[in-house]
Amino acid sequence: MTDFHLSALLTGSLKPLGKRAVASGIVKSAVDGPTRLTSTGFQGDAQGDLVRHGGPEKAVHHYPFEHYASWATEIGSHELLHRPGAFGENVSTVGLTEDAVSIGDVFELGSATIEVSQGRQPCWKLNERFGRPDMATAVQSSGRTGWYYRVLSPGIVGPSDRLNLVARRSAEWTVARVWRAFYVDTLNAEELARLSEVPALAEAWRNHVLRRLKTNKVEDWTKRLTGADPEPVATRH
């Protein structure tokens, strides 16, 4: 199957999030009409931290709606899991998951053309969104992260449009395989070297890969997953 119905098309403005009341665009609502998609995202969609969110390589976030049932089983009933938008996604579908979509896959969406650029690196704002201190870690560990697109050709997208696969450039590099390289088999030099050569991989992710290959160390995830700075390494005198 190469053609997917949209469960929802969503955007969100900046709003205070959680107890920290940090400005965030993670709270998104379904749009009911045609919306312009530019090189940096949908019109009316906002990000509070433009260093780590948004931009050309993360213009559109896609999260599979079928994951919601798994989350309800694992964390229990939660009001956010009753409809798309819980994970800050712009695009929600059923039938397309991390095991089936690959870096470099090109889709038509409305009159726009988009390309898969990277998986999602969950951050602590998911903890605030769900009211659970470990939600970002759980998303990362599960492999149910969703993914991002870059926009190859801007256009107009409506909630009744379909997502149509038109090209595959690195079919073997599924989002799930990239997730395993990043978060499971983290220092597999052979796999990382191969990943670094995937043409459509977002440059920031390529830099992570090259840094690991150079240092043989995995970057600290503490601040991203919890919002707290990592504990300083004790030194002996």
Side-chain angles (χ1 to χ4, degrees):
M1 184 178 180
T2 60
D3 186 58
F4 303 90
H5 169 73
L6 296 189
S7 300
L9 181 67
L10 308 107
T11 62
S13 59
L14 292 182
K15 298 176 183 177
L17 176 68
K19 294 180 180 179
R20 305 188 193 190
V22 63
S24 173
I26 196 172
V27 178
K28 300 193 186 299
S29 302
V31 301
D32 58 7
T35 302
R36 181 171 296 280
L37 176 58
T38 73
S39 61
T40 55
F42 285 102
Q43 186 174 18
D45 198 44
Q47 295 81 34
D49 181 354
L50 293 176
V51 174
R52 298 173 181 84
H53 300 283
E57 296 291 78
K58 294 182 283 188
V60 177
H61 179 224
H62 187 152
Y63 198 80
F65 190 62
E66 54 262 57
H67 290 341
Y68 279 52
S70 299
W71 287 118
T73 297
E74 293 176 17
I75 70 173
S77 177
H78 195 296
E79 62 178 356
L80 292 178
L81 298 176
H82 295 165
R83 64 191 65 83
F87 295 86
E89 63 266 38
N90 300 115
V91 171
S92 175
T93 60
V94 173
L96 190 62
T97 65
E98 292 83 358
D99 289 319
V101 69
S102 299
I103 303 299
D105 281 358
V106 178
F107 293 85
E108 291 176 343
L109 179 61
S111 63
T113 306
I114 56 180
E115 180 182 51
V116 178
S117 58
Q118 63 185 75
R120 186 210 191 137
Q121 287 189 299
C123 82
W124 59 268
K125 290 180 182 177
L126 284 171
N127 304 340
E128 298 289 326
R129 176 84 164 125
F130 279 83
R132 298 178 62 92
D134 62 344
M135 193 64 191
T137 299
V139 170
Q140 178 171 297
S141 299
S142 73
R144 301 190 296 266
T145 60
W147 57 89
Y148 284 102
Y149 300 97
R150 61 173 64 90
V151 177
L152 300 182
S153 177
I156 303 297
V157 182
S160 62
D161 287 334
R162 301 181 71 87
L163 187 69
N164 181 36
L165 178 66
V166 295
R168 307 206 79 188
R169 295 174 174 169
S170 303
E172 71 278 14
W173 280 103
T174 63
V175 173
R177 181 178 176 182
V178 176
W179 166 79
R180 283 189 288 271
F182 260 75
Y183 302 121
V184 181
D185 194 10
T186 54
L187 291 175
N188 184 328
E190 184 177 349
E191 185 79 343
L192 291 172
R194 290 173 178 167
L195 177 56
S196 72
E197 296 175 352
V198 177
L201 183 69
E203 199 62 26
W205 280 50
R206 194 186 320 280
N207 289 339
H208 276 305
V209 170
L210 294 174
R211 193 176 302 116
R212 284 191 195 176
L213 285 169
K214 181 178 181 179
T215 64
N216 198 38
K217 293 180 180 179
V218 178
E219 61 279 2
D220 194 304
W221 302 331
T222 303
K223 189 173 183 64
R224 172 170 59 80
L225 292 174
T226 69
D229 291 320
E231 292 291 331
V233 177
T235 57
R236 295 182 178 181
H237 299 280

